[in-house]
Amino acid sequence: MGKKQAGTGPLLRRPDNSAFKQQRLPAWSPSLTAQTVLPTFYILSLVCLFLGIWLFITVENTYELKVDYTIAGTCERCFDLRKHAITSRTACTCTVSFQVPKTFPGDVFFYYGLRNFHQNLRRYMDSRDDAQMVGRKNNLKVLDAPISVPIAPCGAVANSMFNDSLTVMYNPADGSEIQVPLYRKGIAWYTDKNVKFRNPPANDTFTLQQAFEGTTRPLYWQRSVYELDDTDFNNNGFINDDLIVWMREAAFPNFKKLYGVLNRAQGPFTDGLPAGNYTLSINYNFPVEPFRGRKELVISMVTWFGGQNYFLPIAYLVTSGLILVVAVILTTVYVKVGKKGKNMEE
């Protein structure tokens, strides 16, 4: 037998007689009149204009220089060598001369840039083994058909790692040649370096090379993963800074990634990168012909706003102009029609 409903009737579903449920809470209902709306539009226009000009001046004072070395200088021969797989591992070096028109004060950052390289392709981004990159032994030597020898690191992302070596030489007026000193370590994110990328266990008696024994290097690499850095043993394996920087995929086909930071403790670089003539020396390894791309060295300052990017200041200036146009139109309509429509024709 069902239970008998209590309190049935037409008032059963009526809400409680409270201020909240009966919508009697105090509320502010602004009166949108011409005297309140029009000044708001003009003030917003001025605010956006001020921010746009301020950011535009900040970006103008952020210097950036791009040196495209794909086929520049003596690099055309190296470019042709990298077109064919049979000569892909033939060593090739070239030089490109360029000029820095004005001094880059303060900290200066050096990037390598690629154009028309789509790291955001879904199948490309999925071609990696994150479990292998954290040093798990079970994933280090996993075989995927038709590969007969485990690859470390495996996947298309690691295989296509940028592997050009860049050296910048400063040529002062006295005819000498000074190498621009760069910090090549500490360029990766802290979480990547200490959490997402770890080497397999190694110690004094069990070296990193022994830990990677039984694996082979990716097809287009010049060196094995445990010998990427000759100068610092602790910068080898999966925790190599250059590898970590490359493994963080870019969102757009034209991108730049950090290569090094100017060491301002030496020579004429204490105040920044001086203006003058420079020579870029390249160990040319990375092929760009297959994807019709370009390679470049990007030298840039970084301010509180970041690098040189005109998008945000231009967006503020355009927004300011649009708001001003709307404000003028509303003002014209208000003046023509009049308050409460008194001047409106019948």
Side-chain angles (χ1 to χ4, degrees), residues 55-327:
L55 293 178
F56 189 85
I57 294 174
T58 301
V59 172
E60 278 291 301
N61 292 327
T62 304
Y63 304 146
E64 182 177 276
L65 178 67
K66 295 182 179 180
V67 181
D68 189 322
Y69 66 88
T70 310
I71 54 175
T74 62
C75 293
E76 188 171 2
R77 181 180 63 89
C78 298
F79 176 81
D80 293 333
L81 281 176
R82 296 297 174 258
K83 287 182 180 180
H84 311 289
I86 193 172
T87 57
S88 61
R89 292 192 177 182
T90 303
C92 187
T93 60
C94 59
T95 58
V96 176
S97 298
F98 65 96
Q99 185 179 28
V100 175
K102 49 189 174 183
T103 300
F104 282 55
D107 294 329
V108 182
F109 296 78
F110 290 73
Y111 304 84
Y112 61 85
L114 290 178
R115 294 188 174 274
N116 202 38
F117 191 97
H118 294 261
Q119 270 198 316
N120 59 348
L121 184 67
R122 182 181 62 82
R123 293 183 63 184
Y124 176 87
M125 296 178 67
D126 290 341
S127 183
R128 58 186 292 167
D129 189 347
D130 291 323
Q132 184 192 55
M133 301 302 288
V134 295
R136 294 179 183 174
K137 290 184 177 180
N138 296 335
N139 297 81
L140 185 61
K141 300 180 181 180
V142 174
L143 282 174
D144 292 328
I147 304 300
S148 58
V149 180
I151 297 176
C154 64
V157 182
N159 185 43
S160 60
M161 175 184 168
F162 183 84
N163 56 353
D164 283 1
S165 297
L166 309 176
T167 304
V168 182
M169 306 298 295
Y170 173 48
N171 305 312
D174 59 5
S176 61
E177 193 174 53
I178 305 173
Q179 181 174 344
V180 178
L182 298 180
Y183 288 116
R184 296 280 288 114
K185 293 182 292 184
I187 59 176
W189 290 18
Y190 176 84
T191 51
D192 289 348
K193 184 79 171 181
N194 296 277
V195 178
K196 295 179 63 176
F197 294 84
R198 305 301 299 165
N199 277 331
N203 50 47
D204 295 337
T205 58
F206 189 71
T207 65
L208 190 62
Q209 181 176 355
Q210 292 174 318
F212 283 100
E213 188 176 356
T215 66
T216 186
R217 65 187 178 185
L219 178 63
Y220 289 103
W221 280 31
Q222 306 293 325
R223 299 180 176 185
S224 298
V225 66
Y226 51 82
E227 53 184 9
L228 292 176
D229 192 342
D230 294 332
T231 62
D232 186 2
F233 173 78
N234 295 320
N235 192 35
N236 282 311
F238 295 147
I239 60 173
N240 177 264
D241 283 62
D242 291 324
L243 174 62
I244 295 174
V245 169
W246 176 258
M247 294 296 289
R248 180 169 286 277
E249 297 95 342
F252 300 102
N254 301 332
F255 60 86
K256 62 182 181 182
K257 296 197 175 189
L258 188 60
Y259 186 78
V261 183
L262 178 65
N263 182 356
R264 297 169 55 193
Q266 302 180 23
F269 309 104
T270 54
D271 296 327
L273 189 70
N277 297 319
Y278 289 81
T279 301
L280 173 63
S281 178
I282 309 110
N283 287 335
Y284 205 106
N285 299 314
F286 192 81
V288 293
E289 171 66 18
F291 57 91
R292 298 179 182 178
R294 309 287 295 183
K295 299 189 290 187
E296 59 189 9
L297 170 70
V298 181
I299 305 174
S300 177
M301 294 170 51
V302 175
T303 63
W304 64 269
F305 183 67
Q308 191 180 66
N309 191 334
Y310 287 93
F311 174 78
L312 196 57
I314 291 177
Y316 270 114
L317 293 174
V318 172
T319 303
S320 173
L322 293 176
I323 295 175
L324 182 61
V325 170
V326 173

